[in-house]
CSV table of all heavy atoms in Angstrom, one decimal:
chain,number,residue,atom,x,y,z
A,157,GLY,N,65.5,47.0,-78.7
A,157,GLY,CA,66.8,46.4,-78.4
A,157,GLY,C,67.8,46.3,-79.7
A,157,GLY,O,69.0,46.3,-79.5
A,158,TRP,N,67.2,46.2,-80.8
A,158,TRP,CA,67.9,46.0,-82.1
A,158,TRP,C,68.0,47.2,-82.8
A,158,TRP,O,68.9,47.5,-83.6
A,158,TRP,CB,67.3,44.9,-82.9
A,158,TRP,CG,67.2,43.6,-82.2
A,158,TRP,CD1,66.2,43.2,-81.2
A,158,TRP,CD2,68.1,42.5,-82.1
A,158,TRP,NE1,66.4,41.9,-80.9
A,158,TRP,CE2,67.7,41.5,-81.2
A,158,TRP,CE3,69.4,42.3,-82.8
A,158,TRP,CZ2,68.3,40.3,-81.0
A,158,TRP,CZ3,70.0,41.0,-82.6
A,158,TRP,CH2,69.5,40.1,-81.6
A,159,LYS,N,66.8,48.0,-82.8
A,159,LYS,CA,66.8,49.2,-83.6
A,159,LYS,C,65.8,50.2,-83.0
A,159,LYS,O,65.0,49.8,-82.2
A,159,LYS,CB,66.3,48.9,-85.1
A,159,LYS,CG,64.9,48.3,-85.1
A,159,LYS,CD,64.6,47.9,-86.6
A,159,LYS,CE,63.1,47.4,-86.6
A,159,LYS,NZ,62.8,46.4,-85.7
A,160,VAL,N,65.9,51.4,-83.4
A,160,VAL,CA,65.0,52.5,-82.8
A,160,VAL,C,63.7,52.1,-83.5
A,160,VAL,O,63.5,52.1,-84.7
A,160,VAL,CB,65.5,53.8,-83.1
A,160,VAL,CG1,64.4,55.0,-82.8
A,160,VAL,CG2,66.8,54.1,-82.4
A,161,THR,N,62.6,52.0,-82.7
A,161,THR,CA,61.3,51.8,-83.2
A,161,THR,C,60.4,53.0,-83.2
A,161,THR,O,59.4,53.1,-84.0
A,161,THR,CB,60.5,50.6,-82.4
A,161,THR,OG1,60.7,51.0,-81.0
A,161,THR,CG2,61.2,49.3,-82.7
A,162,GLU,N,60.7,53.9,-82.3
A,162,GLU,CA,59.8,55.1,-82.2
A,162,GLU,C,60.8,56.3,-81.9
A,162,GLU,O,61.8,56.2,-81.1
A,162,GLU,CB,58.7,55.1,-81.1
A,162,GLU,CG,57.6,54.2,-81.4
A,162,GLU,CD,56.7,54.1,-80.3
A,162,GLU,OE1,56.2,55.2,-79.8
A,162,GLU,OE2,56.3,53.0,-79.8
A,163,GLN,N,60.7,57.3,-82.7
A,163,GLN,CA,61.6,58.6,-82.5
A,163,GLN,C,60.6,59.8,-82.6
A,163,GLN,O,60.0,60.0,-83.7
A,163,GLN,CB,62.6,58.5,-83.6
A,163,GLN,CG,63.6,59.6,-83.3
A,163,GLN,CD,64.8,59.5,-84.4
A,163,GLN,OE1,64.6,58.9,-85.4
A,163,GLN,NE2,66.0,60.2,-84.2
A,164,TYR,N,60.5,60.5,-81.5
A,164,TYR,CA,59.6,61.6,-81.5
A,164,TYR,C,60.2,62.9,-82.0
A,164,TYR,O,59.5,63.9,-82.1
A,164,TYR,CB,59.0,61.8,-80.1
A,164,TYR,CG,58.2,60.5,-79.7
A,164,TYR,CD1,58.9,59.4,-79.3
A,164,TYR,CD2,56.8,60.5,-79.8
A,164,TYR,CE1,58.0,58.3,-78.8
A,164,TYR,CE2,56.0,59.4,-79.5
A,164,TYR,CZ,56.7,58.4,-79.0
A,164,TYR,OH,55.9,57.2,-78.7
A,165,ASN,N,61.4,63.0,-82.2
A,165,ASN,CA,62.1,64.3,-82.6
A,165,ASN,C,63.4,63.8,-83.2
A,165,ASN,O,64.3,63.1,-82.6
A,165,ASN,CB,62.3,65.1,-81.3
A,165,ASN,CG,62.8,66.5,-81.7
A,165,ASN,OD1,63.6,66.6,-82.7
A,165,ASN,ND2,62.4,67.5,-81.0
A,166,SER,N,63.6,64.3,-84.4
A,166,SER,CA,64.9,63.9,-85.1
A,166,SER,C,66.1,64.4,-84.5
A,166,SER,O,67.2,63.9,-84.9
A,166,SER,CB,64.8,64.4,-86.6
A,166,SER,OG,64.6,65.9,-86.6
A,167,ARG,N,66.0,65.3,-83.6
A,167,ARG,CA,67.2,65.8,-82.9
A,167,ARG,C,67.7,64.9,-81.8
A,167,ARG,O,68.8,65.1,-81.2
A,167,ARG,CB,66.9,67.3,-82.3
A,167,ARG,CG,66.8,68.3,-83.4
A,167,ARG,CD,66.4,69.6,-82.7
A,167,ARG,NE,67.3,69.9,-81.6
A,167,ARG,CZ,66.8,70.0,-80.3
A,167,ARG,NH1,65.5,69.8,-80.0
A,167,ARG,NH2,67.6,70.2,-79.2
A,168,TYR,N,66.8,63.9,-81.5
A,168,TYR,CA,67.3,63.0,-80.4
A,168,TYR,C,67.6,61.6,-81.1
A,168,TYR,O,66.7,61.1,-81.9
A,168,TYR,CB,66.1,62.7,-79.4
A,168,TYR,CG,65.7,63.9,-78.6
A,168,TYR,CD1,64.5,64.4,-78.7
A,168,TYR,CD2,66.6,64.5,-77.7
A,168,TYR,CE1,64.0,65.6,-78.0
A,168,TYR,CE2,66.3,65.6,-77.1
A,168,TYR,CZ,65.0,66.1,-77.1
A,168,TYR,OH,64.6,67.3,-76.4
A,169,MET,N,68.8,61.1,-81.0
A,169,MET,CA,69.1,59.9,-81.7
A,169,MET,C,70.1,59.0,-80.8
A,169,MET,O,70.7,59.5,-79.9
A,169,MET,CB,69.7,60.1,-83.1
A,169,MET,CG,70.9,61.2,-83.1
A,169,MET,SD,71.4,61.5,-84.7
A,169,MET,CE,70.0,62.2,-85.5
A,170,LEU,N,70.0,57.7,-81.2
A,170,LEU,CA,70.9,56.8,-80.5
A,170,LEU,C,72.0,56.4,-81.5
A,170,LEU,O,71.8,55.8,-82.5
A,170,LEU,CB,70.2,55.5,-80.1
A,170,LEU,CG,69.0,55.7,-79.1
A,170,LEU,CD1,68.4,54.4,-78.7
A,170,LEU,CD2,69.4,56.6,-77.9
A,171,LYS,N,73.2,56.9,-81.2
A,171,LYS,CA,74.4,56.7,-82.2
A,171,LYS,C,75.1,55.5,-81.6
A,171,LYS,O,76.1,55.1,-82.4
A,171,LYS,CB,75.1,58.0,-82.2
A,171,LYS,CG,74.5,59.1,-83.0
A,171,LYS,CD,75.4,60.3,-83.2
A,171,LYS,CE,74.9,61.2,-84.2
A,171,LYS,NZ,75.8,62.4,-84.4
A,172,GLY,N,75.0,55.1,-80.5
A,172,GLY,CA,75.8,53.9,-80.0
A,172,GLY,C,75.5,52.6,-80.7
A,172,GLY,O,74.6,52.5,-81.3
A,173,ASN,N,76.2,51.6,-80.2
A,173,ASN,CA,75.9,50.2,-80.8
A,173,ASN,C,75.0,49.5,-79.9
A,173,ASN,O,75.3,49.1,-78.7
A,173,ASN,CB,77.2,49.4,-80.8
A,173,ASN,CG,77.1,48.1,-81.4
A,173,ASN,OD1,76.0,47.5,-81.5
A,173,ASN,ND2,78.2,47.4,-81.9
A,174,LEU,N,73.7,49.6,-80.3
A,174,LEU,CA,72.6,49.1,-79.4
A,174,LEU,C,72.9,47.6,-79.2
A,174,LEU,O,72.5,47.2,-78.0
A,174,LEU,CB,71.2,49.1,-80.3
A,174,LEU,CG,70.7,50.6,-80.6
A,174,LEU,CD1,69.4,50.5,-81.3
A,174,LEU,CD2,70.8,51.5,-79.5
A,175,LEU,N,73.4,46.8,-80.0
A,175,LEU,CA,73.6,45.4,-79.7
A,175,LEU,C,74.6,45.1,-78.6
A,175,LEU,O,74.8,44.0,-78.2
A,175,LEU,CB,74.0,44.7,-81.0
A,175,LEU,CG,73.0,44.9,-82.2
A,175,LEU,CD1,73.4,44.0,-83.4
A,175,LEU,CD2,71.5,44.6,-81.8
A,176,MET,N,75.4,46.1,-78.3
A,176,MET,CA,76.4,46.1,-77.2
A,176,MET,C,75.9,46.7,-76.0
A,176,MET,O,76.7,46.9,-75.0
A,176,MET,CB,77.7,46.8,-77.7
A,176,MET,CG,78.4,46.1,-78.9
A,176,MET,SD,78.8,44.4,-78.8
A,176,MET,CE,80.2,44.5,-77.6
A,177,GLY,N,74.6,47.1,-76.0
A,177,GLY,CA,74.1,47.7,-74.7
A,177,GLY,C,74.4,49.2,-74.6
A,177,GLY,O,74.1,49.7,-73.5
A,178,ASP,N,74.8,49.8,-75.7
A,178,ASP,CA,75.1,51.2,-75.6
A,178,ASP,C,73.9,52.0,-76.2
A,178,ASP,O,73.6,52.1,-77.3
A,178,ASP,CB,76.4,51.7,-76.5
A,178,ASP,CG,76.6,53.2,-76.4
A,178,ASP,OD1,75.9,53.9,-75.8
A,178,ASP,OD2,77.7,53.6,-77.0
A,179,VAL,N,73.1,52.5,-75.2
A,179,VAL,CA,71.9,53.2,-75.5
A,179,VAL,C,72.0,54.7,-75.2
A,179,VAL,O,71.0,55.2,-74.8
A,179,VAL,CB,70.7,52.5,-74.8
A,179,VAL,CG1,70.4,51.2,-75.5
A,179,VAL,CG2,70.9,52.3,-73.3
A,180,SER,N,73.2,55.2,-75.2
A,180,SER,CA,73.4,56.6,-75.0
A,180,SER,C,72.6,57.5,-75.9
A,180,SER,O,72.6,57.2,-77.1
A,180,SER,CB,74.9,57.0,-75.0
A,180,SER,OG,75.6,56.2,-74.1
A,181,LEU,N,72.1,58.6,-75.3
A,181,LEU,CA,71.3,59.5,-76.2
A,181,LEU,C,72.0,60.6,-76.6
A,181,LEU,O,72.7,61.3,-75.8
A,181,LEU,CB,70.1,60.0,-75.2
A,181,LEU,CG,69.1,61.0,-75.9
A,181,LEU,CD1,68.2,60.4,-76.9
A,181,LEU,CD2,68.4,61.8,-74.8
A,182,THR,N,72.0,60.9,-77.9
A,182,THR,CA,72.7,62.1,-78.5
A,182,THR,C,71.6,63.1,-78.8
A,182,THR,O,70.6,62.8,-79.5
A,182,THR,CB,73.5,61.7,-79.7
A,182,THR,OG1,74.5,60.8,-79.4
A,182,THR,CG2,74.0,62.9,-80.3
A,183,ILE,N,71.8,64.3,-78.3
A,183,ILE,CA,70.9,65.4,-78.6
A,183,ILE,C,71.7,66.3,-79.6
A,183,ILE,O,72.8,66.8,-79.3
A,183,ILE,CB,70.7,66.3,-77.3
A,183,ILE,CG1,70.0,65.4,-76.2
A,183,ILE,CG2,69.7,67.5,-77.6
A,183,ILE,CD1,69.9,66.1,-74.9
A,184,VAL,N,71.1,66.4,-80.7
A,184,VAL,CA,71.8,67.2,-81.9
A,184,VAL,C,71.4,68.7,-81.8
A,184,VAL,O,70.3,69.0,-81.5
A,184,VAL,CB,71.4,66.6,-83.2
A,184,VAL,CG1,72.0,67.4,-84.3
A,184,VAL,CG2,71.7,65.1,-83.3
A,185,ASN,N,72.4,69.5,-81.8
A,185,ASN,CA,72.2,71.0,-81.9
A,185,ASN,C,71.4,71.4,-80.7
A,185,ASN,O,70.2,71.9,-80.8
A,185,ASN,CB,71.5,71.2,-83.2
A,185,ASN,CG,71.5,72.7,-83.6
A,185,ASN,OD1,72.3,73.5,-82.9
A,185,ASN,ND2,70.7,73.2,-84.4
């Protein structure tokens, strides 16, 4: 809820403001 605790692939990231409830997924490249 506050930060990413597990990330299985560096190409998948959460760039939104987690504290505002924006948990949109960004797929890089």
Side-chain angles (χ1 to χ4, degrees):
W158 303 85
K159 63 184 183 306
V160 172
T161 51
E162 291 177 50
Q163 187 177 17
Y164 293 85
N165 185 325
S166 57
R167 289 178 45 248
Y168 298 118
M169 50 185 63
L170 302 184
K171 290 184 164 182
N173 186 337
L174 299 182
L175 306 184
M176 301 297 289
D178 180 354
V179 289
S180 301
L181 175 73
T182 299
I183 304 170
V184 178
N185 194 12

